[in-house]
Amino acid sequence: METTQSEQLFKEALEVMPGGVNSPVRAFKSVGGTPITFKRGQGAHLEDWDGNRFLDFCCSWGPLVLGHAHPYVRESIEKVLVDGWTFGTPHRSETLLARKVLERVGFADKGRFVNSGTEAVMTAVRLARGVTKRPYILKFDGCYHGHLDSMLVNAGSGLVTFGQSSSAGVPEEIAATTLVVPLDDEAAVEAVFKTHGDKIAAVALETIPANNGLLYQRPEFVAFLRKITREHGTLLLLDEVLVGLRVQPAFAFQHYGVEPDIVTLGKVIGGGFPAAALAAKAEIMDHLAPNGPVYQAGTLSGNPVAMTAGLATLEVLFEQGGWDRLHAVAARFKNGIESGLAATSLPVQYIQTGALFWFSFDSEALPRTADGIGKPGIARYAALHRKLLEKGIYFAPSGYEVGFLSTAMTDADVDGAVATIIETINECYA
Ligand SMILES: Cc1ncc(COP(=O)(O)O)c(C=O)c1O
């Protein structure tokens, strides 16, 4: 594969940005080699500066559920641009998107738009603390909620449940307000509530944890979290920045039949532009400024371009048959990969939920906790990633990341990719 242009462009990027990137995983550290610099994306395909073409299973880390440069989304944005792109005032597109998103969320009366998933979770955490007047947040080892200080926290050692900061620059005093427990472990959660129950503002969970492989949780575990939080006056914060509108035509909490107190959303709802949100019942949301004492703001929050992109994306998904197409692509891909793997005797586990998928090259059973993912599996993924690139398939450059499907994939794209992926997995074990 020719990579001269990507190498040169990355060399230039390295001179002016730490690691040559604006988000660490893009640097290919986990898979090795030089990151590909893309020039354009159309539909399901990406093209780089060396003229290589790839079928895209990363979809800009999730937002591009319709693939690249979808014509309806592009035309909708173009129309808005004619009238200007930001006013710092209320704009009709905010209300339209809020209505559409809330329709899908169901339980919530109000939402607030922000620019990134990190901001949505940061606001939700502050809101939970403001509402409950309690200091602690309980999170789960292996869940990612963005790069706010109080979520950049790992499990402490042994029986210590107070977190340890996972990044330099996060003071231990802040890390100590986050309690970290393993996923899939009711007893651990119970023990923490026994000691600290009256101080926990919120329990935060990625409804289906999908940032450390795809750690599908038992419905009983999610229901248990709902129950124990209610018993202790703690809010349940379900983070759907990644899984929202990817698993079913609404949100993953509906799949579990569990209603959170606050939900955070991102990625798909911005259609590939910077937009994310939190939503809850009015009695919670009205604690936010200007109605209540919990401060939150943003110069470009709810800007017309991102709102319009989100709105157009949801229109295509839910009013123009997009969801049916996504469902068909997902079913075809799942069927193909599962039968392909069944025909081998390789120790590879596969999980797909809706339009998200992940391969585990480690365990005999699919893991439900972060401990189930090991270095050998991640190394195996690195080899797979490189070989797939050479065959025109772009997977996320880290074995911890899930794959994303898009409506832009044709049946022929799916069938061709399935054959290539299965063949390449076989090569990796040869
Ligand atoms: C579950 C979850 N929460 C929060 C975030 C942070 O979102 P952003 O990268 O938009 O800040 C992510 C990002 O991948 C995520 O997957």
Side-chain angles (χ1 to χ4, degrees):
M1 185 174 83
E2 179 59 50
T3 56
T4 318
Q5 294 292 327
S6 274
E7 274 162 36
Q8 176 58 29
L9 288 165
F10 191 57
K11 209 168 124 211
E12 291 170 24
L14 282 167
E15 287 164 15
V16 288
M17 291 174 283
V21 290
N22 287 304
S23 195
V25 71
R26 298 179 195 172
F28 270 42
K29 294 271 187 217
S30 179
V31 290
T34 304
I36 314 288
T37 300
F38 292 111
K39 186 175 187 185
R40 69 168 65 90
Q42 281 296 321
H45 291 90
L46 286 162
E47 191 184 316
D48 70 10
W49 283 85
D50 291 284
N52 301 303
R53 223 165 153 259
F54 305 88
L55 186 61
D56 182 14
F57 285 95
C58 186
C59 298
S60 192
W61 305 94
L64 298 180
V65 68
L66 308 177
H68 294 267
H70 189 283
Y72 182 76
V73 179
R74 202 193 58 229
E75 283 157 22
S76 305
I77 298 163
E78 280 168 1
K79 276 190 206 144
V80 157
L81 286 175
V82 174
D83 290 327
W85 38 88
T86 179
F87 307 103
T89 66
H91 190 270
R92 188 163 165 266
S93 58
E94 295 170 297
T95 312
L96 295 179
L97 183 59
R99 262 195 215 135
K100 242 195 188 38
V101 169
L102 289 171
E103 233 169 65
R104 295 276 144 198
V105 170
F107 80 93
D109 308 308
K110 295 186 182 182
R112 175 153 291 178
F113 289 112
V114 292
N115 300 299
S116 69
T118 297
E119 251 187 275
V121 175
M122 181 181 77
T123 306
V125 163
R126 188 180 305 133
L127 181 59
R129 286 174 165 151
V131 169
T132 60
K133 303 188 172 54
R134 295 174 176 186
Y136 297 157
I137 302 295
L138 187 152
K139 84 177 278 286
F140 294 91
D141 196 21
C143 282
Y144 177 69
H145 298 285
H147 65 96
L148 57 153
D149 284 357
S150 59
M151 289 296 186
L152 286 181
V153 173
N154 280 339
S157 54
L159 296 175
V160 182
T161 46
F162 286 103
Q164 293 173 344
S165 49
S166 59
S167 162
V170 176
E172 287 304 332
E173 292 80 357
I174 290 182
T177 60
T178 304
L179 303 155
V180 187
V181 291
L183 285 160
D184 192 39
D185 188 343
E186 280 91 340
V189 176
E190 245 160 18
V192 172
F193 266 96
K194 211 164 167 199
T195 323
H196 304 292
D198 59 345
K199 292 204 180 69
I200 304 175
V203 166
L205 172 75
E206 283 185 71
T207 317
I208 301 176
N211 277 286
N212 234 312
L214 195 52
L215 305 174
Y216 190 84
Q217 297 299 293
R218 288 174 292 120
E220 304 78 44
F221 181 65
V222 182
F224 161 79
L225 295 180
R226 179 62 287 182
K227 184 163 170 286
I228 198 164
T229 46
R230 282 228 170 93
E231 286 166 359
H232 287 81
T234 295
L235 302 183
L236 180 62
L237 160 54
L238 291 182
D239 183 355
E240 301 240 354
V241 166
L242 191 150
V243 296
L245 299 174
R246 274 281 177 190
V247 172
Q248 61 175 48
F251 295 91
F253 64 79
Q254 285 136 338
H255 163 86
Y256 281 108
V258 165
E259 194 177 283
D261 297 297
I262 307 178
V263 64
T264 46
L265 315 168
K267 305 213 188 233
V268 170
I269 66 157
F273 283 77
L278 60 152
K281 288 195 191 306
E283 67 210 50
I284 291 182
M285 289 304 283
D286 282 336
H287 284 255
L288 280 180
N291 288 9
V294 178
Y295 191 69
Q296 189 277 337
T299 301
L300 293 175
S301 290
N303 86 81
V305 182
M307 296 295 99
T308 302
L311 198 55
T313 299
L314 298 197
E315 281 168 8
V316 174
L317 273 184
F318 300 118
E319 288 152 40
Q320 300 176 20
W323 189 269
D324 294 342
R325 181 63 204 153
L326 190 66
H327 185 74
V329 168
R332 197 176 184 96
F333 190 75
K334 187 167 192 276
N335 186 35
I337 295 288
E338 285 180 352
S339 20
L341 285 176
T344 74
S345 50
L346 297 176
V348 178
Q349 311 297 320
Y350 180 69
I351 178 167
Q352 184 180 329
T353 173
L356 298 175
F357 66 88
W358 183 63
F359 293 91
S360 168
F361 299 103
D362 275 314
S363 49
E364 279 166 25
L366 279 162
R368 285 210 202 97
T369 64
D371 292 350
I373 309 171
K375 292 239 160 18
I378 294 302
R380 184 92 62 185
Y381 181 87
L384 176 74
H385 184 265
R386 171 58 44 193
K387 285 176 189 286
L388 286 177
L389 271 184
E390 281 161 12
K391 297 179 187 182
I393 289 187
Y394 188 72
F395 269 22
S398 161
Y400 293 101
E401 307 290 345
V402 293
F404 296 90
L405 302 169
S406 77
T407 62
M409 292 172 173
T410 63
D411 288 356
D413 287 334
V414 171
D415 295 348
V418 164
T420 306
I421 292 164
I422 297 294
E423 171 196 276
T424 314
I425 289 175
N426 274 299
E427 283 168 24
C428 287
Y429 281 92

